[in-house]
Amino acid sequence: MNKVHLQLRVNGEDVEVAFAPHKTLLEVLREDLALTGTKHGCELGECGACAVLVDGKPMLSCLLLGLEAEGAEIRTIEGMADGPTLHPLQAAFADLGAAQCGYCTPAMLLTAQALLDRNSLPSRVEITAALSGVLCRCTGYLQIFEAVEAAAQTMVQRSKEEAAGGRGE
Amino acid sequence: MAEGSDRKLNVVGVPRRRVDGRAKVTGQTRFADDLTLPRMLHCKMLRSRLPHARIRGIDTARAAAAPGVRLVLTGADTPIPYGILPVSQDEHALCLDRVRFVGDPVAAVIADSEEQALAALDLIAVDYEPLTTIADSEQALATPEPRIHEYGDEANVHKKVAFDFGDVDEALAGADRVFEDVFFYEGNTHLPIEQHATLAAIDPDGKLTVWSATQTPHYLHRALTKALALPAAHIRVIATPNGGGFGGKSDPFNHEIVVAKAALVTGRPVKICLTREEVFYCHRGRHPVLMKFRTGVKNDGSIVAVHLDTLLDGGAYGSYGVASTFYTGQLQTVTYKIPRYRFRGCRTFTNKPPCGPKRGHGTPQPRFGQEVQLDKIAVALGIDPAQLRLQQLVEPASLTANYMRVNTIGLGECIHQVVAGSGWKERRGKIVSNDGMARGLGLACSAYLSGAGLPIYWNDLPQSGVQLKLDRSGGVTAFCGATEIGQGSDDVLALCVAEILGVPPFDIRIITGDTDLTPVDLGSYSSRVTLMMGNAAIEAATRARDLIAPAVAKKLGVPAGRLVFAEARVFDSEDPERGMTWQDAVIHGEAMHGTLGTTGSYKPPMSAAKYKGGGVGPTPTYSYSASVIEVAVDRATGWIEVVKVWIAHDIGRALNPVLTRGQVEGGVYMALGEALMEESAFRRLPPKLSGALVHKMPSMLEYKSPTTFEMPPVETFLVEQPDPRGPFGAKEVGQGPLLPVMPALANAVFDAIGVRIDEIPITPEKIIRALAAKDRRYGPSKFPEMTWPEALKVAPPWEGGDGTASNDKPKKPRMARPGEEGGPPIRPEVRR
């Protein structure tokens, strides 16, 4: 079987990888790059568990070929924290019960991050709509909504403080 | 044993990040399919496309010669039957000579890659002789031949049970009113987002290790021991954290045995991950149940007797089905006083995926019927449905007619909370709507086990064990066989140990679900872990504290009884400055006693139900829930919008309120899915396509489950009345809060538009049909005529009974044969 050999940009790093051309981005991430934080629940585009950010947009990695991701900026759950420091969304999910079994959590977190990147203080309705493509069987979603709202507040507060700190200098 | 309700608590009750929270939000939790090993092979299974057929022959030669294929297995390679219950050892990892449902596995291919294994499946030729297919319970009752199994109470009847707790006919004859209702509850499935996956490998020393997405590593260990004829000591089962279970990963599964066998044969690691379609066929989900309730009441609404008949469609194998059958009857008595009770249950075999335990195991179906019927009774008698329930709650510390022991009961408080929260008294039947939708409120209650009183196989051993290791570093490691399925069992273990030893939960290292390293815990089912593991953890931690205390007391020169373990210190309660760090305390303990280690174990109290069948239903303590639901229904389309859910749960004590609330809301969510849309429906393919009975919707797109859009606001009330049998007073929360939701919703629909939907799920189509029906009802019309075995006659406690049946035939004692439950092990070949 002929593998394609190409360079992908994953979590801000360029990685070289060789894989069979029919492989999905999900398979390339999990099997060829050992980034198993990206999950799968159906591999048919139904459950949303495999969502990753492609150029900042949540995309189902099971419906995207690895080849199609060439040249794009891919972000997976492994790239969400800042070194050892959790992203505010991660901290809020952990603190507020938004992750029970944790299986849909990477997709939920990345999808929520994409939402907050374009809308810093989304309404409950906007959060509901943004996360509607990811199924969760454990939580009933409510603690997830609350965690996104709490993280949004934290992030807005932080950027205010940073802006204030910036003026002070 | 349950540690001090009077003690000051530092960790218990504090909302807190769970100990495994960080792993879950960073994607570092390692689920079964995330594991890979060098030289790992991949397994795919060939599954029957016929629902019922004899296997005349299997030709695997072409598959075995296909590229990359290392091994092909068939039934002859795994000939020993197994099953979760000792009484129904009716499964083979690969079918021997018969397939019983579409999806039954007949062969497995192990290859270098998943693709190669998949491609080779097409090269296997199976010669089938099709047999008559049995599609549902009524057909099973009417079709004695061909038998799906050679065992069972009757031809295609797996189990029939009948009990009379007092003279029910006499009581019904004396009732002011007798209400008779038939209900149907369609089957549905767990749908964990994680597909089942298993990895098996041979260790360097030649032993077998199996990592699996299982809720019950101990039972899997036993099944592997039997099916592979290996000594238990040569098998290690590691339960990986489950990406959701809900009961769907509690049976030992054929794919687990197949990859273990393949690893033994090839000497290489072998992994399988089921496709979503295969997960649907694996099933073991909610049984479809037809029910008939005859309930006699006095004019004031008090119940004089209940007669319940249930008919369960079990699917193709036994699974937990015998227990499920009993569960459709045993918990009806623990909420309201029922002076006399008749329960008869029947489980049939059909050619569909096997049913088993799903959240609530066998109890949501009759609970739906009971609570909807009570609503009808309340309406007919002109009594407020909340009042009807409140006036006849079971007393605390009492026995029911069927000898279930109720300890604490917070149900009254639960009802008061949801009635007050929802404005029930002011708003029921009176909600004004200006959007064209009809609005209504419905109420229902329920109860559930905090752990089954008896294990799956008979033994008098602890049901949960915890081991602690402490050393001079101050480190504490807690070992327990319990399985983390998302519910937070690791957090409960850390929390219980931390509370007793006075250190932060995060400082406790947790090792769980590993049959080599951890003491046995029976697994994450029957809502048993918090209560049983929690009590075992408290015992182990208390013993550790009692070892360390005298050493510290000696060093400080204060009586051990005055020492307090808190804030990572051990100090004198009368002079808190006088003390030492936790680490120093452990060092003194180790110096005094040598290497420090303690154990704790838990076994539920003896049941009062001594009749045959009385083993299902007892628990250390029942949890209770009440719910009020508000709906808005569109009369034109039948569309139902759930406006809000109020739910109160008698939790005893919320150990970590963040997780407790999550369990309540998760239960409500799953219940709403069942109530409104989820159903495991089957259809026949046209004859030219084999006439097979196939799953109507084996995909997540077609099997509708609630998304974020369908989730209504939920107001949760935790009723905390500590139960002395629970750890720090805690009861279960994983399953109970699901139960009142379906009937509360049905009752709300009635309040809104005056129709009765006596069937789950409640869909727009059924609403429209009920609106058009003369009797303003949609639901089954009758329960089939059938014969029942002679009922076991058990006099209720208030009629002089002692928990035994007057006509129970004592079983002849028989020595168990080798390989049977309780018998000597089959002499296995010793692997070198």
Side-chain angles (χ1 to χ4, degrees):
Chain A
M1 189 180 301
N2 293 324
K3 288 185 173 181
V4 291
H5 187 180
L6 51 80
Q7 188 165 297
L8 294 177
R9 191 159 173 83
V10 182
N11 297 327
E13 296 171 13
D14 292 319
V15 290
E16 265 187 49
V17 59
F19 55 88
H22 61 262
K23 277 190 135 179
T24 63
L25 178 60
L26 169 71
E27 290 166 330
V28 173
L29 291 171
R30 286 180 56 84
E31 296 167 12
D32 300 296
L33 296 173
L35 295 170
T36 55
T38 302
K39 301 303 175 198
H40 55 78
C42 65
E43 299 179 65
L44 296 166
E46 295 166 356
C47 70
C50 65
V52 296
L53 299 186
V54 178
D55 291 331
K57 280 193 191 154
M59 305 277 274
L60 299 182
S61 62
C62 77
L63 295 185
L64 211 60
L65 289 174
L67 279 175
E68 293 176 281
E70 192 179 15
E73 188 76 42
I74 301 159
R75 186 156 300 268
T76 71
I77 190 67
E78 287 88 349
M80 195 166 180
D82 179 10
T85 308
L86 296 182
H87 186 281
L89 274 164
Q90 290 176 303
F93 268 54
D95 289 337
L96 300 177
Q100 281 189 26
C101 79
Y103 201 79
C104 72
T105 306
M108 282 288 184
L109 281 166
L110 291 165
T111 309
Q113 188 184 6
L115 170 67
L116 297 189
D117 283 348
R118 64 173 197 274
N119 180 352
S120 56
L121 278 176
S123 67
R124 179 63 71 97
V125 172
E126 288 166 332
I127 295 169
T128 302
L131 300 182
S132 62
V134 186
L135 293 177
C136 167
R137 284 296 272 178
C138 295
T139 60
Y141 304 111
L142 301 177
Q143 287 178 315
I144 293 176
F145 298 159
E146 289 169 16
V148 174
E149 287 162 353
Q153 291 291 349
T154 304
M155 289 165 73
V156 166
Q157 192 60 34
R158 260 185 218 174
S159 49
K160 271 187 198 161
E161 283 165 14
E162 274 165 29
R167 275 196 300 276
E169 277 168 10
Chain B
M1 153 155 356
E3 172 75 16
S5 339
D6 50 348
R7 185 171 174 276
K8 182 179 174 291
L9 299 171
N10 297 307
V11 181
V12 168
V14 180
R16 187 176 45 73
R17 177 185 294 188
R18 56 193 290 166
V19 294
D20 50 357
R22 191 182 191 285
K24 288 173 194 280
V25 298
T26 55
Q28 285 175 289
T29 301
R30 302 274 276 165
F31 297 94
D33 194 43
D34 298 340
L35 306 176
T36 52
L37 287 171
R39 302 179 71 236
M40 187 174 84
L41 300 171
H42 297 265
C43 175
K44 295 296 280 183
M45 290 163 76
L46 180 69
R47 294 173 186 276
S48 171
R49 292 178 183 185
L50 295 181
H52 199 191
R54 224 180 296 284
I55 302 172
R56 282 192 290 236
I58 303 182
D59 183 353
T60 60
R62 286 177 65 211
V69 172
R70 303 290 167 182
L71 178 69
V72 181
L73 295 172
T74 64
D77 298 301
T78 53
I80 304 173
Y82 67 94
I84 183 69
L85 297 188
V87 292
S88 27
Q89 302 281 300
D90 60 359
E91 298 186 52
H92 288 88
L94 297 166
C95 295
L96 279 180
D97 53 2
R98 185 110 71 98
V99 292
R100 296 178 170 89
F101 70 101
V102 171
D104 227 357
V106 291
V109 174
I110 291 87
D112 292 345
S113 74
E114 211 175 4
E115 290 164 304
Q116 288 168 328
L118 191 61
L121 291 185
D122 286 342
L123 305 176
I124 298 173
V126 186
D127 181 15
Y128 289 113
E129 177 194 337
L131 298 169
T132 301
T133 305
I134 293 171
D136 57 33
S137 280
E138 297 194 41
Q139 195 183 354
L141 291 174
T143 315
E145 293 290 332
R147 288 187 72 145
I148 295 175
H149 288 283
E150 298 311 312
Y151 81 105
D153 284 352
E154 289 166 22
N156 282 311
V157 170
H158 178 202
K159 192 71 190 167
K160 260 189 189 176
V161 300
F163 301 97
D164 273 354
F165 302 98
D167 190 337
V168 170
D169 293 326
E170 181 193 71
L172 289 177
D176 291 329
R177 301 277 297 272
V178 175
F179 291 80
E180 181 169 320
D181 289 282
V182 185
F183 300 95
F184 180 64
Y185 198 115
E186 180 59 282
N188 54 54
T189 201
H190 320 84
L191 205 75
I193 308 293
E194 180 206 23
Q195 300 137 289
H196 301 55
T198 305
L199 168 63
I202 306 302
D203 296 338
D205 62 6
K207 295 183 188 130
L208 173 70
T209 297
V210 176
W211 294 261
S212 194
T214 177
Q215 297 177 231
T216 53
H218 173 64
Y219 294 141
L220 175 58
H221 190 210
R222 289 173 59 84
L224 287 168
T225 302
K226 184 183 182 209
L228 301 172
L230 283 179
H234 295 188
I235 302 174
R236 175 184 187 184
V237 175
I238 299 173
T240 48
N242 289 199
F246 317 113
K249 295 167 182 166
S250 343
D251 282 64
F253 283 102
N254 44 51
H255 63 266
E256 295 172 319
I257 293 164
V258 164
V259 293
K261 178 72 185 179
L264 290 169
V265 175
T266 60
R268 292 173 64 171
V270 181
K271 184 161 85 171
I272 191 166
C273 180
L274 302 190
T275 65
R276 176 54 58 181
E277 188 177 8
E278 285 178 296
V279 174
F280 273 95
Y281 282 106
C282 244
H283 196 44
R284 321 290 163 141
R286 186 85 74 225
H287 285 74
V289 180
L290 185 66
M291 300 156 268
K292 184 171 84 174
F293 278 85
R294 286 174 69 220
T295 299
V297 293
K298 291 188 198 151
N299 284 327
D300 69 359
S302 50
I303 298 167
V304 299
V306 174
H307 169 182
L308 166 63
D309 287 345
T310 65
L311 179 59
L312 298 81
D313 180 343
Y317 289 98
S319 182
Y320 284 76
V322 170
S324 316
T325 308
F326 286 113
Y327 273 130
T328 62
Q330 287 290 62
L331 297 198
Q332 298 324 106
T333 54
V334 301
T335 40
Y336 318 112
K337 284 177 194 155
I338 297 177
R340 290 182 180 177
Y341 181 49
R342 172 181 294 153
F343 163 58
R344 304 187 296 198
C346 172
R347 183 181 194 260
T348 59
F349 286 126
T350 57
N351 294 114
K352 294 187 293 193
C355 296
K358 182 187 170 192
R359 207 172 196 171
H361 192 188
T363 72
Q365 300 98 324
R367 179 56 62 182
F368 168 72
Q370 186 175 24
E371 296 291 323
V372 171
Q373 192 185 48
L374 276 179
D375 201 65
K376 295 181 183 185
I377 292 171
V379 169
L381 300 179
I383 303 172
D384 179 322
Q387 181 53 35
L388 179 78
R389 290 166 169 87
L390 283 169
Q391 74 188 28
Q392 50 190 328
L393 295 177
V394 164
E395 299 290 336
S398 69
L399 285 177
T400 66
N402 58 340
Y403 290 85
M404 300 298 118
R405 189 184 299 285
V406 172
N407 294 300
T408 54
I409 169 167
L411 182 53
E413 184 56 24
C414 288
I415 295 173
H416 290 306
Q417 295 272 5
V418 293
V419 161
S422 64
W424 169 261
K425 284 179 186 152
E426 309 79 50
R427 299 172 68 230
R428 185 175 71 98
K430 298 180 200 132
I431 307 176
V432 182
S433 172
N434 48 17
D435 58 2
M437 303 275 274
R439 290 170 185 254
L441 290 179
L443 177 146
C445 304
S446 63
Y448 201 66
L449 318 163
S450 302
L454 288 181
I456 294 290
Y457 63 99
W458 190 89
N459 67 70
D460 59 359
L461 305 171
Q463 296 190 26
S464 187
V466 170
Q467 228 165 351
L468 291 185
K469 173 219 155 218
L470 308 87
D471 71 27
R472 60 195 77 178
S473 68
V476 181
T477 308
F479 300 86
C480 179
T483 309
E484 176 56 56
I485 64 168
Q487 84 282 43
S489 68
D490 281 4
D491 194 66
V492 170
L493 179 57
L495 173 154
C496 289
V497 174
E499 181 65 62
I500 301 293
L501 298 182
V503 296
F506 191 65
D507 286 7
I508 312 290
R509 190 169 285 279
I510 297 299
I511 310 282
T512 50
D514 182 328
T515 60
D516 258 18
L517 301 185
T518 61
V520 170
D521 173 278
L522 296 181
S524 288
Y525 69 95
S526 86
S527 273
R528 53 176 297 289
V529 174
T530 290
L531 190 136
M532 299 201 193
M533 176 192 73
N535 279 329
I538 288 171
E539 187 175 78
T542 304
R543 286 174 176 170
R545 194 182 60 186
D546 291 347
L547 283 176
I548 290 168
V552 175
K554 190 173 161 198
K555 181 74 185 169
L556 296 180
V558 299
R562 267 190 7 213
L563 292 177
V564 174
F565 287 64
E567 296 151 17
R569 288 178 71 235
V570 183
F571 55 90
D572 182 1
S573 58
E574 291 180 7
D575 178 11
E577 293 301 307
R578 194 167 176 182
M580 62 177 73
T581 65
W582 164 252
Q583 185 184 357
D584 285 341
V586 180
I587 289 170
H588 289 299
E590 191 174 335
M592 177 180 272
H593 303 287
T595 303
L596 291 175
T598 60
T599 61
S601 47
Y602 180 79
K603 204 167 101 176
M606 287 287 286
S607 165
K610 301 186 189 83
Y611 56 90
K612 189 167 179 261
V616 179
T619 178
T621 189
Y622 297 97
S623 77
Y624 292 90
S625 312
S627 178
V628 168
I629 294 184
E630 180 174 343
V631 296
V633 186
D634 185 333
R635 290 172 185 272
T637 62
W639 187 255
I640 305 161
E641 185 199 329
V642 179
V643 179
K644 187 166 177 181
V645 176
W646 293 264
I647 182 148
H649 183 66
D650 167 24
I651 178 70
R653 169 113 58 188
L655 295 181
N656 181 346
V658 176
L659 305 194
T660 308
R661 202 192 118 203
Q663 287 301 307
V664 174
E665 289 176 0
V668 168
Y669 150 86
M670 190 161 277
L672 289 172
E674 295 197 18
L676 294 167
M677 61 191 90
E678 296 186 30
E679 50 184 329
S680 296
F682 292 81
R683 67 189 174 100
R684 276 193 189 281
L685 293 178
K688 67 173 180 181
L689 290 174
S690 82
L693 195 58
V694 295
H695 210 295
K696 209 167 170 183
M697 40 188 91
S699 85
M700 290 171 126
L701 194 62
E702 294 304 314
Y703 181 93
K704 305 293 184 203
S705 63
T707 71
T708 53
F709 283 122
E710 281 76 43
M711 191 62 193
V714 176
E715 194 167 340
T716 299
F717 307 94
L718 297 177
V719 171
E720 298 194 68
Q721 299 171 355
D723 188 300
R725 296 187 182 217
F728 307 105
K731 299 183 175 186
E732 76 88 35
V733 64
Q735 306 190 61
L738 172 135
L739 292 152
V741 172
M742 291 74 72
L745 193 135
N747 295 341
V749 166
F750 175 78
D751 190 47
I753 57 171
V755 302
R756 288 291 179 186
I757 311 297
D758 291 339
E759 186 175 302
I760 290 293
I762 300 170
T763 60
E765 186 193 354
K766 292 174 188 174
I767 298 267
I768 296 294
R769 286 184 184 217
L771 282 167
K774 232 182 232 164
D775 61 356
R776 311 272 290 169
R777 171 183 181 267
Y778 183 90
S781 54
K782 64 175 177 51
F783 193 91
E785 289 296 321
M786 53 192 287
T787 57
W788 294 99
E790 184 195 347
L792 282 187
K793 295 193 189 322
V794 183
W798 41 85
E799 295 183 20
D802 63 357
T804 62
S806 58
N807 56 343
D808 216 345
K809 291 180 194 79
K811 256 176 60 186
K812 272 188 205 151
R814 176 176 75 79
M815 289 298 287
R817 285 189 283 268
E820 274 188 352
E821 297 298 332
I826 294 169
R827 270 323 302 166
E829 267 180 70
V830 176
R831 296 178 50 78
R832 290 182 199 284

